[in-house]
Amino acid sequence: MISRTLFIRSFLLTGSIIPRSSYCSSSKSCWSCSRSVVVKDKFFCSSCGSLLAVQNQDYFTLLDIPKTFELDSTSLTTSFRRLQSVLHPDKFSQKSEQEKENSLAWSSLVNKAYKTLNAPLERGKYLLQQDGIVITEENTSVDPDFLMEMMERNEQVEDATRAEDLTIIVQSLRSDIDQLYHSLRVEFAKADMEKAKTTLVRLKYLLNIERTIKDKLLELQMK
């Protein structure tokens, strides 16, 4: 059992409310009764009913969502809310310290899983990670012509001084973004991970420019 002191110390050192030992736990027995955990409920011990420590599992399994890029956002939100209604720390305020810690860990993990899967860009990156493909910050795989195009678009945004000009730019950008989302759905459906990686990198650039435009439009509105 993780003591409250160690839990607080871990939070101060790492800035995380997830106890490292709980998140990485691969134990097949219950922390409370020491009996083997029957894999019927990933959250509660089938023998004593205690809330189990967090086990390593992918976000799709955690949220009971099919492992696919094109998912149903309504089903995702419904599943998220259902899990939080069971695992939220408020539900364990009268329980043992261990169960309180486990609840914090589960609730935090469910939040992170939901935020990741609910954002198409992050969901795509997560699917690639599950396949052993990581998108680095350098993005060396981007072709020079595309990078040149992104530089030109950034310059257009920087030079624009009227909301009307920025609106035209963002409309054109949105059309390209929608096309990339369509390409991603096709590529993930075909399990073409390398093409999906290239598309995700391009999408990341376009979304950054779109965010810059929206920030600049907001600034103009406030003047």
mmCIF file with all atom_site columns, all heavy atoms in Angstrom, residues 65-76:
data_model
loop_
_atom_site.group_PDB
_atom_site.id
_atom_site.type_symbol
_atom_site.label_atom_id
_atom_site.label_alt_id
_atom_site.label_comp_id
_atom_site.label_asym_id
_atom_site.label_entity_id
_atom_site.label_seq_id
_atom_site.pdbx_PDB_ins_code
_atom_site.Cartn_x
_atom_site.Cartn_y
_atom_site.Cartn_z
_atom_site.occupancy
_atom_site.B_iso_or_equiv
_atom_site.pdbx_formal_charge
_atom_site.auth_seq_id
_atom_site.auth_comp_id
_atom_site.auth_asym_id
_atom_site.auth_atom_id
_atom_site.pdbx_PDB_model_num
ATOM 1  N N   . ILE A 1 65 ? -14.203 1.750  -26.436 1.00 0.00 ? 65 ILE A N   1
ATOM 2  C CA  . ILE A 1 65 ? -14.429 2.331  -27.755 1.00 0.00 ? 65 ILE A CA  1
ATOM 3  C C   . ILE A 1 65 ? -13.644 1.515  -28.788 1.00 0.00 ? 65 ILE A C   1
ATOM 4  O O   . ILE A 1 65 ? -12.501 1.122  -28.533 1.00 0.00 ? 65 ILE A O   1
ATOM 5  C CB  . ILE A 1 65 ? -13.951 3.803  -27.792 1.00 0.00 ? 65 ILE A CB  1
ATOM 6  C CG1 . ILE A 1 65 ? -14.808 4.659  -26.867 1.00 0.00 ? 65 ILE A CG1 1
ATOM 7  C CG2 . ILE A 1 65 ? -13.981 4.371  -29.212 1.00 0.00 ? 65 ILE A CG2 1
ATOM 8  C CD1 . ILE A 1 65 ? -16.260 4.786  -27.291 1.00 0.00 ? 65 ILE A CD1 1
ATOM 9  N N   . PRO A 1 66 ? -14.237 1.237  -29.963 1.00 0.00 ? 66 PRO A N   1
ATOM 10 C CA  . PRO A 1 66 ? -13.497 0.515  -31.010 1.00 0.00 ? 66 PRO A CA  1
ATOM 11 C C   . PRO A 1 66 ? -12.208 1.234  -31.366 1.00 0.00 ? 66 PRO A C   1
ATOM 12 O O   . PRO A 1 66 ? -12.171 2.466  -31.435 1.00 0.00 ? 66 PRO A O   1
ATOM 13 C CB  . PRO A 1 66 ? -14.477 0.525  -32.192 1.00 0.00 ? 66 PRO A CB  1
ATOM 14 C CG  . PRO A 1 66 ? -15.826 0.660  -31.567 1.00 0.00 ? 66 PRO A CG  1
ATOM 15 C CD  . PRO A 1 66 ? -15.619 1.540  -30.368 1.00 0.00 ? 66 PRO A CD  1
ATOM 16 N N   . LYS A 1 67 ? -11.150 0.478  -31.581 1.00 0.00 ? 67 LYS A N   1
ATOM 17 C CA  . LYS A 1 67 ? -9.834  1.055  -31.873 1.00 0.00 ? 67 LYS A CA  1
ATOM 18 C C   . LYS A 1 67 ? -9.786  1.454  -33.340 1.00 0.00 ? 67 LYS A C   1
ATOM 19 O O   . LYS A 1 67 ? -9.318  0.724  -34.205 1.00 0.00 ? 67 LYS A O   1
ATOM 20 C CB  . LYS A 1 67 ? -8.727  0.047  -31.553 1.00 0.00 ? 67 LYS A CB  1
ATOM 21 C CG  . LYS A 1 67 ? -7.339  0.659  -31.541 1.00 0.00 ? 67 LYS A CG  1
ATOM 22 C CD  . LYS A 1 67 ? -6.319  -0.360 -31.060 1.00 0.00 ? 67 LYS A CD  1
ATOM 23 C CE  . LYS A 1 67 ? -4.929  0.242  -30.988 1.00 0.00 ? 67 LYS A CE  1
ATOM 24 N NZ  . LYS A 1 67 ? -3.935  -0.750 -30.491 1.00 0.00 ? 67 LYS A NZ  1
ATOM 25 N N   . THR A 1 68 ? -10.272 2.672  -33.599 1.00 0.00 ? 68 THR A N   1
ATOM 26 C CA  . THR A 1 68 ? -10.334 3.183  -34.957 1.00 0.00 ? 68 THR A CA  1
ATOM 27 C C   . THR A 1 68 ? -10.225 4.699  -34.948 1.00 0.00 ? 68 THR A C   1
ATOM 28 O O   . THR A 1 68 ? -10.564 5.334  -33.938 1.00 0.00 ? 68 THR A O   1
ATOM 29 C CB  . THR A 1 68 ? -11.653 2.758  -35.637 1.00 0.00 ? 68 THR A CB  1
ATOM 30 O OG1 . THR A 1 68 ? -11.737 3.323  -36.948 1.00 0.00 ? 68 THR A OG1 1
ATOM 31 C CG2 . THR A 1 68 ? -12.850 3.227  -34.835 1.00 0.00 ? 68 THR A CG2 1
ATOM 32 N N   . PHE A 1 69 ? -9.760  5.270  -36.049 1.00 0.00 ? 69 PHE A N   1
ATOM 33 C CA  . PHE A 1 69 ? -9.634  6.724  -36.114 1.00 0.00 ? 69 PHE A CA  1
ATOM 34 C C   . PHE A 1 69 ? -11.008 7.382  -36.197 1.00 0.00 ? 69 PHE A C   1
ATOM 35 O O   . PHE A 1 69 ? -11.276 8.389  -35.542 1.00 0.00 ? 69 PHE A O   1
ATOM 36 C CB  . PHE A 1 69 ? -8.791  7.135  -37.319 1.00 0.00 ? 69 PHE A CB  1
ATOM 37 C CG  . PHE A 1 69 ? -8.657  8.633  -37.467 1.00 0.00 ? 69 PHE A CG  1
ATOM 38 C CD1 . PHE A 1 69 ? -7.822  9.361  -36.626 1.00 0.00 ? 69 PHE A CD1 1
ATOM 39 C CD2 . PHE A 1 69 ? -9.382  9.313  -38.431 1.00 0.00 ? 69 PHE A CD2 1
ATOM 40 C CE1 . PHE A 1 69 ? -7.712  10.740 -36.738 1.00 0.00 ? 69 PHE A CE1 1
ATOM 41 C CE2 . PHE A 1 69 ? -9.278  10.696 -38.557 1.00 0.00 ? 69 PHE A CE2 1
ATOM 42 C CZ  . PHE A 1 69 ? -8.439  11.406 -37.705 1.00 0.00 ? 69 PHE A CZ  1
ATOM 43 N N   . GLU A 1 70 ? -11.883 6.809  -36.986 1.00 0.00 ? 70 GLU A N   1
ATOM 44 C CA  . GLU A 1 70 ? -13.206 7.406  -37.191 1.00 0.00 ? 70 GLU A CA  1
ATOM 45 C C   . GLU A 1 70 ? -14.173 6.843  -36.153 1.00 0.00 ? 70 GLU A C   1
ATOM 46 O O   . GLU A 1 70 ? -14.859 5.859  -36.391 1.00 0.00 ? 70 GLU A O   1
ATOM 47 C CB  . GLU A 1 70 ? -13.710 7.127  -38.608 1.00 0.00 ? 70 GLU A CB  1
ATOM 48 C CG  . GLU A 1 70 ? -14.912 7.939  -39.005 1.00 0.00 ? 70 GLU A CG  1
ATOM 49 C CD  . GLU A 1 70 ? -15.209 7.846  -40.500 1.00 0.00 ? 70 GLU A CD  1
ATOM 50 O OE1 . GLU A 1 70 ? -14.609 7.006  -41.174 1.00 0.00 ? 70 GLU A OE1 1
ATOM 51 O OE2 . GLU A 1 70 ? -16.049 8.626  -40.977 1.00 0.00 ? 70 GLU A OE2 1
ATOM 52 N N   . LEU A 1 71 ? -14.222 7.476  -35.004 1.00 0.00 ? 71 LEU A N   1
ATOM 53 C CA  . LEU A 1 71 ? -15.077 6.979  -33.940 1.00 0.00 ? 71 LEU A CA  1
ATOM 54 C C   . LEU A 1 71 ? -16.283 7.881  -33.716 1.00 0.00 ? 71 LEU A C   1
ATOM 55 O O   . LEU A 1 71 ? -16.347 9.002  -34.230 1.00 0.00 ? 71 LEU A O   1
ATOM 56 C CB  . LEU A 1 71 ? -14.278 6.806  -32.640 1.00 0.00 ? 71 LEU A CB  1
ATOM 57 C CG  . LEU A 1 71 ? -13.450 7.985  -32.098 1.00 0.00 ? 71 LEU A CG  1
ATOM 58 C CD1 . LEU A 1 71 ? -14.339 9.058  -31.497 1.00 0.00 ? 71 LEU A CD1 1
ATOM 59 C CD2 . LEU A 1 71 ? -12.453 7.497  -31.056 1.00 0.00 ? 71 LEU A CD2 1
ATOM 60 N N   . ASP A 1 72 ? -17.225 7.375  -32.945 1.00 0.00 ? 72 ASP A N   1
ATOM 61 C CA  . ASP A 1 72 ? -18.451 8.109  -32.633 1.00 0.00 ? 72 ASP A CA  1
ATOM 62 C C   . ASP A 1 72 ? -18.198 8.967  -31.388 1.00 0.00 ? 72 ASP A C   1
ATOM 63 O O   . ASP A 1 72 ? -18.043 8.441  -30.282 1.00 0.00 ? 72 ASP A O   1
ATOM 64 C CB  . ASP A 1 72 ? -19.582 7.112  -32.380 1.00 0.00 ? 72 ASP A CB  1
ATOM 65 C CG  . ASP A 1 72 ? -20.919 7.792  -32.108 1.00 0.00 ? 72 ASP A CG  1
ATOM 66 O OD1 . ASP A 1 72 ? -20.955 9.041  -32.045 1.00 0.00 ? 72 ASP A OD1 1
ATOM 67 O OD2 . ASP A 1 72 ? -21.934 7.087  -31.966 1.00 0.00 ? 72 ASP A OD2 1
ATOM 68 N N   . SER A 1 73 ? -18.129 10.279 -31.574 1.00 0.00 ? 73 SER A N   1
ATOM 69 C CA  . SER A 1 73 ? -17.813 11.172 -30.457 1.00 0.00 ? 73 SER A CA  1
ATOM 70 C C   . SER A 1 73 ? -18.880 11.121 -29.362 1.00 0.00 ? 73 SER A C   1
ATOM 71 O O   . SER A 1 73 ? -18.569 11.281 -28.177 1.00 0.00 ? 73 SER A O   1
ATOM 72 C CB  . SER A 1 73 ? -17.647 12.613 -30.963 1.00 0.00 ? 73 SER A CB  1
ATOM 73 O OG  . SER A 1 73 ? -18.830 13.066 -31.580 1.00 0.00 ? 73 SER A OG  1
ATOM 74 N N   . THR A 1 74 ? -20.128 10.883 -29.750 1.00 0.00 ? 74 THR A N   1
ATOM 75 C CA  . THR A 1 74 ? -21.204 10.792 -28.753 1.00 0.00 ? 74 THR A CA  1
ATOM 76 C C   . THR A 1 74 ? -21.007 9.579  -27.857 1.00 0.00 ? 74 THR A C   1
ATOM 77 O O   . THR A 1 74 ? -21.139 9.665  -26.631 1.00 0.00 ? 74 THR A O   1
ATOM 78 C CB  . THR A 1 74 ? -22.583 10.710 -29.442 1.00 0.00 ? 74 THR A CB  1
ATOM 79 O OG1 . THR A 1 74 ? -22.787 11.880 -30.246 1.00 0.00 ? 74 THR A OG1 1
ATOM 80 C CG2 . THR A 1 74 ? -23.695 10.620 -28.407 1.00 0.00 ? 74 THR A CG2 1
ATOM 81 N N   . SER A 1 75 ? -20.661 8.447  -28.463 1.00 0.00 ? 75 SER A N   1
ATOM 82 C CA  . SER A 1 75 ? -20.406 7.227  -27.680 1.00 0.00 ? 75 SER A CA  1
ATOM 83 C C   . SER A 1 75 ? -19.197 7.411  -26.774 1.00 0.00 ? 75 SER A C   1
ATOM 84 O O   . SER A 1 75 ? -19.186 6.940  -25.632 1.00 0.00 ? 75 SER A O   1
ATOM 85 C CB  . SER A 1 75 ? -20.176 6.034  -28.616 1.00 0.00 ? 75 SER A CB  1
ATOM 86 O OG  . SER A 1 75 ? -21.323 5.757  -29.387 1.00 0.00 ? 75 SER A OG  1
ATOM 87 N N   . LEU A 1 76 ? -18.187 8.104  -27.285 1.00 0.00 ? 76 LEU A N   1
ATOM 88 C CA  . LEU A 1 76 ? -16.990 8.367  -26.497 1.00 0.00 ? 76 LEU A CA  1
ATOM 89 C C   . LEU A 1 76 ? -17.334 9.189  -25.260 1.00 0.00 ? 76 LEU A C   1
ATOM 90 O O   . LEU A 1 76 ? -16.919 8.863  -24.143 1.00 0.00 ? 76 LEU A O   1
ATOM 91 C CB  . LEU A 1 76 ? -15.953 9.106  -27.343 1.00 0.00 ? 76 LEU A CB  1
ATOM 92 C CG  . LEU A 1 76 ? -14.675 9.561  -26.631 1.00 0.00 ? 76 LEU A CG  1
ATOM 93 C CD1 . LEU A 1 76 ? -13.874 8.358  -26.143 1.00 0.00 ? 76 LEU A CD1 1
ATOM 94 C CD2 . LEU A 1 76 ? -13.820 10.431 -27.552 1.00 0.00 ? 76 LEU A CD2 1
#
